[in-house]
Amino acid sequence: MATNTPITNLSTKAQEGIVQFYRSCASITSASWNIRDQMLSIDKLYMRELDRTMQDAKAKLANASGDPTKYQNIIVPLVLSSVEAAVTYQTSVFLTGVPLFGVSSTAANADAALQMESIIDEQSIRGGWARELQLLFRDGFKYNFGAVEVDWTRKKIFSPETALEFSPDQAKPVETYWEGNTLKRLDPYNIIFDARYKPTELSARGEFVGYTELISHVELRQYMYELSYKMNSKQAYESGPASVGSSFPYDFYIPQLNPTALLDQKTFASVDWLAWAGLAERKTNISFKNTYFRTTFYARIVPADFGIASPAAHVPQIWKFVIINNQVLIYAERQTNAHNLIPILFIQPHEDGLGYQTKSLARNAEPFQSVASALVNSAIQARRRAISDRGLYDPTKVDAKQINNESASAKIPVKPAAYGKPLSEAYYPIPYRDEQSAQAMQDLQVMFRMNEQVTGQNQAQQGQFVKGNKTLFEYQDVMQNAAGRSQAISILLETQFFTPLKELLKLNVLQYQQTAEVFNREIEQVIPIDPVTLRQATLAFKVSDGLVPASKQMNSEAFQSAVQTIAAVPQLAGAYNLGPMFSYLFKSQRADVAQFEKTQEELQYEQAMAQWQQAVQMLSEALASNPNMTPEQIQQSLPPQPTPEQFGVGQEQPKVPKASILQQAAQNLK
């Protein structure tokens, strides 16, 4: 938004064409695939909210009213545990490192790599990348589908500055702007995309990708204020109606999953806050609405087809449009990013070449959860049968409502027809024998094992205790083999998502980063950022993550072994400059010790001092063998002592007077 030049001369016809193009794309998405229904079904499995039977509803109502004796139906959480175990594993691989994405390079570009790493680390903290990526993992394992927008954002912030005229005790907030990479996980329920291509190919090949958000009128006004250029402001503010679930074929959608949610967001979104706050009666030039739909729409278009006057208008280009309430275009810009991709990346953790036909982890666990739940509920039904036995009764002698009285201690009156007759003739209990509950619990374990085989997870990976007498090494071997399928998914995610993500992050920094100072929390130093230095080192950067750490990219173990060998063999040490080698090794491990390297002048001065001290030692040995040398001869034989000033060394070294040398020589003679 701040990096590309917005187009300000769109004709009304071009704007209408773009809006119609977006609406057609949204309609195609809704018509080609019932994606929302499928995700709704998966979320109900994940949240265990599929049971809507009257029996379960009555039990829940009884429990809520204080009756603890009623048994609710139980949904065994196999889908939840499988998804969360997979999310936890990938989180531990990709999102636990500090920094989140390390940067390594050649020795010549070590300083530029440190700058790049400091920039990416600062942006990841400010943008909360770990949260967005963890949400993305969860989408991927639930739906086998998830998306993240990678955008270079410019937003207003306030920096505290000391200004005595403002206040002697408080800092003055000064308005400024922050620019950097941001990651935004997109709500899968409100994404439109070109379904002709596989999810992982959309950014490079897809014709369109977009997403819709629900915002308030205040947020819309703030967004319009921060835009470098906008059009149709008044029309956007007055557009409507913006109501959840309107007639537009792919309108903003809020799934209704949890009947006990803290609030109904759909109802919440329909509240007229302006009327509630008494602002509707105020007369203004603009009739604001309560809520708005903001759609960010990326598309590969030929500008000439829409009558847009743009350079190379007959060549396909990537454009970004922002549309309010599916009808008013407020922003348009051509994307001139160096990566030339739609900046929305998709993941598909289970990819087998079948595209959207591939089942997600949640779908694979679905049948086992259903069967396991049926087994558990059969045992619960047996418990219901045990505490409310069945029997045969004579309605002429006992009333039906007395037989079905839920009170465990209620007395049962008999009718006059039963007087004088044995009461055993009025009621006969049917004997109850539960022979299946134990077998059902055994079958339940079989369902657990089958689910583990399908999902590739064992009990330990899901945080459960496993009995056994395995040794530590046997357990480690088992866990290493069990993690093989999760590691395969990590390698796939690295290739299909994290590699292009890191490339987008790197190219955005190289293209848009400005001169600044960034604090590096690893070495606890302020790093000055030089964009020119960064761009000159473009081809040398290797952005790492938890799966491909910098130690693997640099082969630091072999590097350390080489340094030890060089230090042990003097002939090799003479062929290498060991000081910079050690500094490079430490810098690759996020420790910058270059500030402690000696300068070339200091090294020359120390070398001259060593030669002078060697000459003094030789003179002392000469005096020992020829004590008849006069002081004048000794003074002539002694070379001048090097001084720091001769070599430009800043720190003064104590100068050794010649008299002390003569005294030392005399002492040696004695």
Side-chain angles (χ1 to χ4, degrees):
M1 194 160 55
T3 57
N4 298 287
T5 303
I7 303 301
T8 61
N9 58 347
L10 287 181
S11 64
T12 302
K13 184 177 180 180
Q15 296 179 35
E16 293 175 352
I18 292 168
V19 172
Q20 184 58 44
F21 174 59
Y22 154 70
R23 294 173 68 91
S24 299
C25 293
S27 301
I28 292 173
T29 301
S30 63
S32 61
W33 186 26
N34 58 340
I35 178 174
R36 286 176 172 172
D37 294 337
Q38 294 292 335
M39 290 191 294
L40 190 67
S41 174
I42 292 173
D43 279 326
K44 288 182 178 179
L45 286 169
Y46 176 82
M47 299 179 67
R48 306 180 309 285
E49 291 293 344
L50 275 175
D51 191 346
R52 292 291 190 268
T53 61
M54 183 60 68
Q55 186 180 43
D56 185 64
K58 288 182 178 180
K60 289 180 178 179
L61 182 62
N63 293 158
S65 62
D67 183 1
T69 63
K70 297 298 183 292
Y71 290 98
Q72 296 185 29
N73 293 338
I74 297 297
I75 304 298
V76 180
L78 286 183
V79 172
L80 172 67
S81 61
S82 300
V83 169
E84 290 305 311
V87 171
T88 300
Y89 182 88
Q90 301 304 330
T91 298
S92 66
V93 170
F94 292 104
L95 306 183
T96 56
V98 178
L100 196 62
F101 299 121
V103 179
S104 57
S105 70
T106 61
N109 296 316
D111 291 335
L114 182 62
Q115 293 182 38
M116 176 69 76
E117 182 177 276
S118 302
I119 293 170
I120 293 180
D121 186 42
E122 188 268 342
Q123 293 174 357
S124 69
I125 297 172
R126 185 181 291 270
W129 291 3
R131 170 181 175 270
E132 302 295 333
L133 292 175
Q134 190 177 88
L135 290 172
L136 176 70
F137 290 154
R138 190 166 284 107
D139 290 339
F141 289 112
K142 284 199 297 183
Y143 318 122
N144 204 34
F145 176 86
V148 161
E149 180 188 31
V150 187
D151 188 28
W152 185 269
T153 304
R154 183 175 187 264
K155 59 183 179 181
K156 183 186 301 181
I157 61 174
F158 291 89
S159 299
E161 292 186 3
T162 301
L164 296 179
E165 66 277 6
F166 174 74
S167 173
D169 301 323
Q170 298 181 3
K172 179 181 179 180
V174 178
E175 183 179 297
T176 183
Y177 285 90
W178 176 87
E179 292 188 33
N181 284 304
T182 57
L183 302 185
K184 178 192 291 186
R185 171 259 182 184
L186 305 183
D187 179 9
Y189 283 98
N190 292 290
I191 298 177
I192 63 171
F193 56 92
D194 190 348
R196 292 171 292 183
Y197 298 96
K198 298 176 182 178
T200 54
E201 299 176 350
L202 282 169
S203 61
R205 302 178 61 195
E207 186 175 343
F208 61 90
V209 178
Y211 63 94
T212 302
E213 302 168 285
L214 180 68
I215 61 175
S216 68
H217 92 281
V218 174
E219 183 178 355
L220 176 59
R221 295 174 73 173
Q222 178 67 26
Y223 177 77
M224 299 279 274
Y225 173 71
E226 293 182 356
L227 283 176
S228 56
Y229 172 80
K230 61 271 188 184
M231 63 184 90
N232 304 323
S233 300
K234 189 174 186 298
Q235 295 91 322
Y237 290 138
E238 295 182 342
S239 63
S243 59
V244 177
S246 62
S247 59
F248 183 61
Y250 208 74
D251 217 336
F252 186 80
Y253 182 75
I254 300 176
Q256 299 299 299
L257 297 166
N258 186 2
T260 59
L262 295 179
L263 57 85
D264 185 348
Q265 192 175 1
K266 183 179 290 186
T267 303
F268 183 82
S270 62
V271 174
D272 190 350
W273 291 103
L274 295 178
W276 180 82
L279 300 177
E281 299 178 356
R282 296 180 57 183
K283 294 183 179 180
T284 61
N285 295 328
I286 300 177
S287 176
F288 292 102
K289 305 303 179 182
N290 179 46
T291 54
Y292 297 88
F293 299 150
R294 179 180 62 194
T295 299
T296 303
F297 183 59
Y298 295 94
R300 283 186 171 89
I301 65 171
V302 177
D305 293 346
F306 295 88
I308 299 176
S310 173
H314 294 275
V315 178
Q317 304 169 0
I318 299 177
W319 281 65
K320 176 182 179 180
F321 305 104
V322 179
I323 301 171
I324 299 299
N325 287 344
N326 306 313
Q327 53 188 295
V328 181
L329 180 69
I330 64 169
Y331 190 76
E333 69 176 21
R334 180 186 175 185
Q335 299 287 281
T336 57
N337 309 78
H339 50 72
N340 196 32
L341 299 173
I342 292 178
I344 295 181
L345 301 178
F346 289 78
I347 66 168
Q348 194 176 20
H350 294 82
E351 187 176 15
D352 56 7
L354 298 178
Y356 302 101
Q357 301 294 326
T358 305
K359 286 187 176 181
S360 66
L361 179 67
R363 280 298 189 195
N364 281 325
E366 176 187 4
F368 307 105
Q369 175 168 299
S370 300
V371 176
S373 300
L375 292 170
V376 170
N377 287 305
S378 67
I380 293 177
Q381 186 65 19
R383 298 304 304 163
R384 293 192 183 106
R385 172 70 175 83
I387 63 175
S388 58
D389 61 341
R390 302 192 67 187
L392 304 175
Y393 71 96
D394 186 350
T396 64
K397 299 176 181 179
V398 183
D399 192 76
K401 67 178 181 180
Q402 301 298 335
I403 294 294
N404 295 320
N405 193 332
E406 295 185 358
S407 175
S409 60
K411 306 304 183 287
I412 301 177
V414 296
K415 294 182 178 180
Y419 293 165
K421 297 180 181 179
L423 295 181
S424 59
E425 297 179 1
Y427 183 82
Y428 174 75
I430 299 176
Y432 170 69
R433 292 181 301 177
D434 183 11
E435 299 176 351
Q436 295 299 318
S437 293
Q439 183 63 39
M441 292 301 101
Q442 295 179 8
D443 295 341
L444 183 64
Q445 299 303 318
V446 175
M447 291 298 104
F448 289 165
R449 300 289 84 79
M450 294 179 68
N451 180 71
E452 292 169 3
Q453 291 179 358
V454 170
T455 60
Q457 301 169 354
N458 58 25
Q459 289 178 303
Q461 285 177 301
Q462 297 180 359
Q464 302 175 17
F465 175 73
V466 181
K467 293 182 179 181
N469 56 355
K470 291 183 176 65
T471 65
L472 176 60
F473 296 105
E474 289 175 336
Y475 179 79
Q476 290 177 344
D477 290 340
V478 171
M479 292 304 297
Q480 182 176 359
N481 295 332
R485 290 173 63 176
S486 298
Q487 291 175 357
I489 293 176
S490 298
I491 294 173
L492 181 62
L493 290 175
E494 171 70 24
T495 303
Q496 71 176 209
F497 175 74
F498 279 98
T499 296
L501 170 63
K502 292 180 290 187
E503 190 69 14
L504 262 65
L505 296 174
K506 182 182 71 174
L507 291 176
N508 282 347
V509 170
L510 295 175
Q511 184 173 2
Y512 303 121
Q513 180 62 45
Q514 299 180 1
T515 303
E517 290 186 347
V518 178
F519 180 77
N520 187 301
R521 54 177 175 161
E522 281 295 290
I523 63 176
E524 298 183 351
Q525 292 182 11
V526 176
I527 306 299
I529 306 301
D530 183 2
V532 177
T533 302
L534 289 173
R535 293 171 191 135
Q536 290 175 346
T538 302
L539 300 179
F541 288 142
K542 299 177 182 178
V543 182
S544 62
D545 52 36
L547 186 65
V548 187
S551 58
K552 287 186 178 181
Q553 293 183 342
M554 299 185 52
N555 198 1
S556 57
E557 292 183 0
F559 190 90
Q560 294 175 10
S561 300
V563 171
Q564 293 173 358
T565 303
I566 291 173
V569 181
Q571 292 82 357
L572 290 176
Y576 294 92
N577 194 343
L578 295 184
M581 287 182 66
F582 274 102
S583 297
Y584 175 61
L585 176 62
F586 277 106
K587 182 171 291 188
S588 67
Q589 302 300 320
R590 314 294 191 271
D592 188 7
V593 297
Q595 57 182 321
F596 302 107
E597 288 184 10
K598 294 180 179 179
T599 63
Q600 191 66 27
E601 291 77 10
E602 290 176 330
L603 293 175
Q604 292 175 357
Y605 171 71
E606 290 179 355
Q607 184 178 5
M609 281 293 296
Q611 294 175 354
W612 181 77
Q613 291 174 354
Q614 184 178 5
V616 171
Q617 180 64 28
M618 294 175 61
L619 181 59
S620 299
E621 295 174 356
L623 285 173
S625 60
N626 185 14
N628 297 325
M629 291 182 64
T630 63
E632 290 78 8
Q633 292 175 328
I634 295 175
Q635 203 164 18
Q636 291 176 357
S637 302
L638 185 68
Q641 179 184 357
T643 62
E645 294 84 358
Q646 295 175 348
F647 296 89
V649 178
Q651 185 177 1
E652 291 288 341
Q653 302 290 337
K655 186 176 181 180
V656 182
K658 294 183 179 180
S660 63
I661 299 175
L662 297 177
Q663 294 173 1
Q664 181 65 36
Q667 185 68 25
N668 293 339
L669 291 176
K670 293 180 181 181

